[in-house]
Amino acid sequence: MDLQLPKSEYPRVVIIGGGFGGIELAKRLKNKPFQVVMLDKHNYHTFQPLLYQVATGGLEADSIAFPLRKIFKGQKNLIFRVAKVTEINAAKNSVITDIGDISYDHLVIATGSTSNFFGNTEIEQNSMPMKSIPEALDLRSLILQNFEKSLIETDIDQKSALLNFVVVGGGPTGVETSGAIAELKKHVIPNDYPEMDLNQVNIYLVENSPELLGPMSPQAQVKSKEFLTEMGVRVMNETRVLGYDGFKLTLQDKAPILSSTVIWSAGVKGQVIPGLDLAEVVRGGRLKTDTQNLIVGYHNIYAIGDVASIIDEETPNGHPGVAPVAIQQGHHLAKNLINLIENKPLEKFKYFDKGSMATVGRNKAVVDIGKIRFQGVFAWFTWMFVHLMTLVGFRNKIIVFVNWLWSYFSYDRGTRLIIRTFAKDRSVDYRTEAPQVKDQISH
Amino acid sequence: MDLQLPKSEYPRVVIIGGGFGGIELAKRLKNKPFQVVMLDKHNYHTFQPLLYQVATGGLEADSIAFPLRKIFKGQKNLIFRVAKVTEINAAKNSVITDIGDISYDHLVIATGSTSNFFGNTEIEQNSMPMKSIPEALDLRSLILQNFEKSLIETDIDQKSALLNFVVVGGGPTGVETSGAIAELKKHVIPNDYPEMDLNQVNIYLVENSPELLGPMSPQAQVKSKEFLTEMGVRVMNETRVLGYDGFKLTLQDKAPILSSTVIWSAGVKGQVIPGLDLAEVVRGGRLKTDTQNLIVGYHNIYAIGDVASIIDEETPNGHPGVAPVAIQQGHHLAKNLINLIENKPLEKFKYFDKGSMATVGRNKAVVDIGKIRFQGVFAWFTWMFVHLMTLVGFRNKIIVFVNWLWSYFSYDRGTRLIIRTFAKDRSVDYRTEAPQVKDQISH
């Protein structure tokens, strides 16, 4: 059945996903002759670069997320709906959602990426992804629950599993997360858990390749590893994860690690929606598009951001899955859609690489901007400044800034509440919320 | 099986509950010859007076909760455990918990109160309580989910139910909550939901008795009703709720109200733990104690705060269930426990009433301090000041202050994310988080 939407004389652009790309595109179409329909399964935008700080108790979830309706406040040609798109019916020019079918003149897929477990369901079942706010909150609860459990655990193996934290994947997320857990160990545990033996708390960063931060400069790669090692993280390069049953992490040619907390940041894949010709899905599960972001084989279905991959002689592997690419593609597609109705020629997307950076911990970050590379305190302040500026919402900027100031001077992390059911089986735990448990039992 | 705890030469005081009373007592026993064991099912203290602001998007959950371990940082004679006490075995001087049995020399029950549905299971099943952080977050999600649902609802009755918000109970919580929802309607809906017809959004405050804020002064009662009415809340005094099936709220001698959101703040009862002689449970499900907070019939089991009721010629109905009573009883009991081991006579508890206050909305509050009564802007600032000062944690004070400043000048509410599964059946909803749903199904 069709979803009732306000009528409009203008062609309808349906955007699936309120991430960096979708938001940029929708905003650029403000006051243009389009009816813009934005769909997202959440009612908020997530600032993914700071998810790891939510997961490690540094920030409130609410301060890195922003209500999508607020972003489009006053944009008369935009309609927002919380909806989950289940299928695309390209023949009918409509998308099938859980709140009804929605027809489109132009469809833009901006669904982003999700954790890639490379088909290993055992790891998928037992490890913690960190791609959404609920996942970050679940991880925060799990880390804290395992601290609490370790105090009452009498079995030695079980206890060490509770105190071994493993991050898989040496990209920015992995580096930042393992660094943040190392800071929890250094600054929070001694105060909160005087009974705990710090020597029993181990943080591992496991990476397949010989270096960390793959796409970054050798200087950044070396320095980040140095920083992490100083902070007590056991960096294990050239280490391949074979499996994880929730207790034992098995590695290729290496001794297994007992751990109740394995954080999976080893890869992402595009969140592709059923209904499209999947022959055009390329490396990383991304939708192959031309330089106008048009999905190969379709004339009015576009893809931007992480879910898309412009395969071109200049970019045989597409662009990196980072926010600036999504934002620039959103901006570029808006221009092309306007060109389209003005019968102007479409432009080719050109990515302007502003550089990349990753933070490791207090006063420790690495920055590459073109040929300029620097690491350490100044890099750290640069990282914080850039993230504060790109964070959506003035209130969020203030709250995050206050939290960072607070943490900087107090060496403390503000938010350490176990406030939600841990979503996997281990969630059936006395520390979870009664209503949740009741609810689960009642099913 | 007994829980292993660090040995101590001193008598053990087991405190159940990290609320206002339990915390005050535990802190006062710092450096005293006791081993203090604090048990709570959460790892954080909840500042209940501001829960309604979390439920209505004004504050982050993390800024009104505080990690219990942080409160007792550096208190060497205190052990904290996250544990749920299932039973008290008075004969054996031990409490049975889900992490093992714990013996005590002195037991203090400071479990506080929970929503009282007066035995009406239908209302309990379908209405929203607001006594804990998870409940407040669930309520926030429900309110926002119902706004979203109303946009796609075609059935007229269903739609009006989604836009009718009913608060049952005219105490401070009911007054503050209905006022906060009225402000959401006035300041947030017009921006976020331009499609919505404000005339269809109704807020009801239903109260059994002829006035609001029962225990407060006539001036406060009259003025709060005036404020709420100005703000567009339909205040229904002398209205008795008979039942609520999740859709229709039935009232005695009055037309029913269709509503998907009924918030229950009509009463509380003590959170009594099984195992005690329940003959001594008095009005409001509270444990009857003597003026030394000793539960009648026991020589080493005390109760303080909401769960306790000192029945005395001076206080035939016990003291009100408010934070100051709990704090003063915690302080007083600490003194008595010290007197006990110093063989000094025990003192009788005397409550010093600092007055009471309630906020209705922007620039609108009512304050009674002894014979001094005032309402309006100054009362509102007084209310904010008192709450900021009593809020636990410096960081929390700053964050809350920043949020309040922000809301004051922007007329906005900071946090409007639907971030958790709504805990009742309606939770099985496309807007809830995938992992949660998956989890529930997998059970």
Side-chain angles (χ1 to χ4, degrees):
Chain A
M1 133 293 216
D2 287 349
L3 177 69
Q4 296 306 319
L5 287 173
K7 298 264 161 293
S8 166
E9 57 186 301
Y10 299 117
R12 177 183 291 170
V13 179
V14 171
I15 303 170
I16 307 172
F20 290 108
I23 289 174
E24 183 69 19
L25 168 61
K27 279 173 150 182
R28 298 283 177 178
L29 294 178
K30 186 174 184 175
N31 302 327
K32 302 296 180 194
F34 293 99
Q35 181 187 48
V36 182
V37 177
M38 154 92 51
L39 306 174
D40 197 289
K41 63 176 187 283
H42 296 300
N43 72 327
Y44 55 87
H45 163 75
T46 304
F47 189 74
Q48 292 192 2
L50 291 177
L51 273 176
Y52 83 96
Q53 294 207 5
V54 171
T56 52
L59 291 174
E60 287 97 346
D62 306 79
S63 52
I64 69 155
F66 198 81
L68 283 161
R69 292 191 173 280
K70 223 165 123 178
I71 293 173
F72 302 114
K73 171 179 162 180
Q75 183 164 343
K76 295 206 167 34
N77 71 336
L78 185 133
I79 300 156
F80 173 73
R81 289 288 182 270
V82 176
K84 201 163 181 183
V85 177
T86 52
E87 198 185 331
I88 295 167
N89 187 334
K92 278 192 176 170
N93 285 329
S94 89
V95 293
I96 297 150
T97 82
D98 54 1
I99 59 170
D101 300 356
I102 301 164
S103 63
Y104 60 81
D105 297 293
H106 306 277
L107 176 64
V108 181
I109 301 168
T111 45
S113 60
T114 179
S115 298
N116 190 350
F117 297 93
F118 307 101
N120 188 322
T121 49
E122 190 206 39
I123 293 176
E124 184 169 2
Q125 287 298 319
N126 298 301
S127 72
M128 298 295 292
M130 201 176 55
K131 288 287 290 176
S132 72
I133 296 256
E135 286 171 353
L137 288 172
D138 282 342
L139 177 53
R140 182 178 81 182
S141 291
L142 179 66
I143 292 170
L144 294 164
Q145 284 172 0
N146 288 345
F147 285 159
E148 296 294 335
K149 283 180 180 171
S150 73
L151 297 176
I152 56 172
E153 183 55 64
T154 47
D155 177 86
I156 291 159
D157 284 352
Q158 290 290 346
K159 185 167 184 152
S160 68
L162 288 166
L163 294 175
N164 286 340
F165 298 85
V166 182
V167 180
V168 183
T173 308
V175 167
E176 289 167 340
T177 308
S178 55
I181 298 174
E183 295 200 319
L184 275 182
K185 176 184 174 180
K186 188 173 178 196
H187 302 305
V188 173
I189 292 179
N191 292 324
D192 276 19
Y193 301 90
E195 306 166 56
M196 211 183 276
D197 174 5
L198 279 184
N199 302 321
Q200 295 189 330
V201 182
N202 302 300
I203 300 132
Y204 300 86
L205 178 57
V206 175
E207 164 61 36
N208 214 338
S209 66
E211 68 287 318
L212 302 175
L213 301 177
M216 288 187 76
S217 67
Q219 297 93 310
Q221 293 172 353
V222 172
K223 203 68 189 169
S224 58
K225 189 166 181 170
E226 234 178 77
F227 285 149
L228 285 170
T229 313
E230 279 170 29
M231 292 166 68
V233 175
R234 304 180 180 205
V235 182
M236 300 170 69
N237 280 102
E238 296 177 276
T239 305
R240 184 142 179 278
V241 171
L242 298 179
Y244 176 57
D245 61 8
F247 177 66
K248 186 190 278 183
L249 182 78
T250 45
L251 306 169
Q252 194 173 50
D253 311 326
K254 290 197 174 145
I257 302 172
L258 299 185
S259 174
S260 309
T261 321
V262 170
I263 300 154
W264 189 258
S265 59
V268 295
K269 59 170 189 243
Q271 289 207 50
V272 177
I273 297 165
L276 291 175
D277 178 359
L278 295 181
E280 295 304 344
V281 172
V282 296
R283 193 163 154 285
R286 303 170 86 181
L287 296 163
K288 182 178 171 186
T289 76
D290 65 17
T291 54
Q292 278 111 42
N293 293 104
L294 201 51
I295 297 178
V296 177
Y298 298 93
H299 70 286
N300 64 343
I301 306 181
Y302 303 82
I304 58 174
D306 286 12
V307 74
S309 195
I310 295 178
I311 303 298
D312 187 36
E313 56 280 352
E314 295 164 33
T315 57
N317 295 323
H319 296 96
V322 294
V325 172
I327 293 166
Q328 291 175 39
Q329 289 184 341
H331 186 175
H332 176 260
L333 180 54
K335 272 192 271 167
N336 270 349
L337 287 172
I338 294 158
N339 290 342
L340 207 62
I341 51 165
E342 290 173 354
N343 298 312
K344 293 187 190 150
L346 300 188
E347 288 160 31
K348 192 173 161 180
F349 175 73
K350 282 246 164 293
Y351 174 50
F352 170 59
D353 186 351
K354 292 176 176 166
S356 51
M357 48 179 70
T359 195
V360 187
R362 188 184 190 75
N363 300 329
K364 297 184 178 70
V366 294
V367 175
D368 292 354
I369 302 173
K371 292 270 152 292
I372 309 153
R373 284 101 195 248
F374 53 101
Q375 303 87 27
V377 181
F378 182 63
W380 190 61
F381 280 102
T382 310
W383 180 92
M384 286 197 291
F385 178 78
V386 168
H387 282 75
L388 266 186
M389 289 306 104
T390 43
L391 189 59
V392 180
F394 181 62
R395 179 192 145 283
N396 286 1
K397 287 177 164 63
I398 308 172
I399 298 289
V400 169
F401 182 64
V402 170
N403 272 296
W404 283 351
L405 271 182
W406 167 257
S407 302
Y408 188 74
F409 292 110
S410 68
Y411 287 81
D412 190 17
R413 303 232 149 203
T415 64
R416 300 206 283 282
L417 318 183
I418 301 171
I419 54 164
R420 79 196 304 273
T421 307
F422 169 43
K424 311 234 173 150
D425 285 327
R426 282 164 294 184
S427 69
V428 186
D429 181 300
Y430 50 83
R431 296 176 185 77
T432 58
E433 300 313 334
Q436 293 284 350
V437 174
K438 201 178 69 196
D439 184 47
Q440 286 162 5
I441 290 163
S442 75
H443 276 68
Chain B
M1 138 287 219
D2 288 349
L3 177 70
Q4 297 306 318
L5 288 173
K7 296 265 160 296
S8 167
E9 57 186 300
Y10 300 118
R12 178 183 290 170
V13 179
V14 171
I15 304 170
I16 308 172
F20 290 109
I23 289 174
E24 183 68 18
L25 168 61
K27 279 174 150 182
R28 297 284 177 176
L29 294 178
K30 186 173 184 176
N31 302 327
K32 303 296 179 193
F34 292 100
Q35 181 187 47
V36 182
V37 177
M38 155 90 51
L39 306 174
D40 196 289
K41 64 175 187 287
H42 296 300
N43 72 328
Y44 55 87
H45 163 75
T46 303
F47 189 75
Q48 292 192 1
L50 290 178
L51 272 176
Y52 84 95
Q53 294 206 4
V54 171
T56 52
L59 292 174
E60 287 96 347
D62 305 79
S63 52
I64 69 156
F66 198 81
L68 283 161
R69 293 191 173 279
K70 222 164 125 177
I71 293 173
F72 302 114
K73 171 177 162 181
Q75 183 163 343
K76 295 206 167 32
N77 71 336
L78 184 134
I79 300 155
F80 172 73
R81 290 289 181 269
V82 176
K84 199 163 182 181
V85 178
T86 51
E87 200 185 330
I88 295 166
N89 187 335
K92 278 192 173 168
N93 285 330
S94 91
V95 292
I96 296 151
T97 82
D98 54 0
I99 60 171
D101 302 356
I102 301 164
S103 63
Y104 60 80
D105 297 294
H106 306 278
L107 176 63
V108 181
I109 301 168
T111 44
S113 60
T114 179
S115 297
N116 190 350
F117 297 92
F118 307 102
N120 188 322
T121 49
E122 191 207 36
I123 293 175
E124 184 169 3
Q125 287 298 319
N126 298 301
S127 72
M128 299 295 293
M130 200 176 56
K131 288 287 291 175
S132 72
I133 296 258
E135 286 171 352
L137 288 173
D138 282 341
L139 178 53
R140 181 178 81 183
S141 291
L142 179 66
I143 292 171
L144 294 165
Q145 283 172 359
N146 288 345
F147 284 158
E148 296 294 335
K149 282 179 179 171
S150 74
L151 297 177
I152 56 172
E153 183 55 65
T154 47
D155 177 87
I156 292 159
D157 284 351
Q158 291 289 347
K159 185 165 184 154
S160 69
L162 288 166
L163 294 176
N164 286 340
F165 298 86
V166 183
V167 180
V168 182
T173 307
V175 167
E176 288 167 342
T177 307
S178 54
I181 298 173
E183 295 200 319
L184 276 182
K185 177 185 174 180
K186 188 173 178 197
H187 302 304
V188 173
I189 292 180
N191 291 325
D192 276 19
Y193 301 90
E195 305 166 59
M196 212 184 276
D197 174 6
L198 279 183
N199 302 320
Q200 296 190 328
V201 182
N202 302 300
I203 300 130
Y204 299 86
L205 178 58
V206 175
E207 164 60 36
N208 214 335
S209 66
E211 68 286 319
L212 302 175
L213 301 175
M216 289 188 76
S217 67
Q219 296 94 308
Q221 294 172 352
V222 172
K223 203 70 188 166
S224 58
K225 190 166 180 169
E226 236 178 74
F227 284 150
L228 284 171
T229 313
E230 278 170 30
M231 291 166 69
V233 176
R234 304 180 181 206
V235 182
M236 299 169 71
N237 280 104
E238 296 177 275
T239 306
R240 186 144 178 278
V241 171
L242 297 178
Y244 176 56
D245 60 8
F247 177 67
K248 185 191 277 183
L249 182 78
T250 45
L251 307 170
Q252 195 173 51
D253 310 326
K254 291 197 175 144
I257 302 171
L258 299 185
S259 174
S260 310
T261 321
V262 170
I263 300 153
W264 190 257
S265 58
V268 297
K269 60 172 190 243
Q271 288 207 50
V272 176
I273 297 164
L276 291 175
D277 178 357
L278 294 181
E280 296 303 344
V281 173
V282 295
R283 193 164 154 283
R286 303 169 87 181
L287 296 163
K288 183 178 171 186
T289 76
D290 65 17
T291 55
Q292 278 112 43
N293 293 104
L294 202 53
I295 297 178
V296 177
Y298 299 93
H299 70 287
N300 63 344
I301 306 182
Y302 304 81
I304 58 174
D306 286 12
V307 74
S309 194
I310 294 178
I311 304 299
D312 189 36
E313 56 280 351
E314 295 162 33
T315 56
N317 297 322
H319 296 96
V322 295
V325 172
I327 292 166
Q328 290 175 39
Q329 289 185 341
H331 185 176
H332 176 261
L333 180 53
K335 272 192 271 167
N336 270 349
L337 287 172
I338 293 158
N339 289 342
L340 207 63
I341 51 165
E342 291 173 352
N343 299 311
K344 292 186 189 150
L346 300 189
E347 289 159 32
K348 193 172 161 181
F349 175 73
K350 282 246 164 295
Y351 174 49
F352 170 58
D353 185 351
K354 292 176 175 165
S356 50
M357 49 180 69
T359 194
V360 187
R362 187 184 189 76
N363 299 328
K364 295 184 178 72
V366 294
V367 176
D368 292 353
I369 302 172
K371 293 270 151 292
I372 308 153
R373 285 99 195 248
F374 52 103
Q375 303 87 26
V377 180
F378 182 63
W380 188 62
F381 280 102
T382 310
W383 180 91
M384 286 196 292
F385 178 77
V386 169
H387 283 74
L388 266 185
M389 289 307 105
T390 44
L391 190 59
V392 180
F394 181 61
R395 180 193 147 280
N396 287 0
K397 287 177 166 61
I398 309 171
I399 299 288
V400 169
F401 182 64
V402 170
N403 273 295
W404 284 351
L405 271 182
W406 167 258
S407 301
Y408 189 74
F409 292 109
S410 68
Y411 287 81
D412 191 17
R413 303 230 149 204
T415 65
R416 297 205 286 280
L417 318 184
I418 301 171
I419 55 164
R420 82 197 302 272
T421 306
F422 169 43
K424 310 231 173 151
D425 285 328
R426 283 164 292 185
S427 71
V428 186
D429 180 301
Y430 50 83
R431 294 177 185 78
T432 58
E433 300 312 334
Q436 293 284 349
V437 174
K438 200 179 72 196
D439 183 47
Q440 287 162 7
I441 290 163
S442 75
H443 275 67

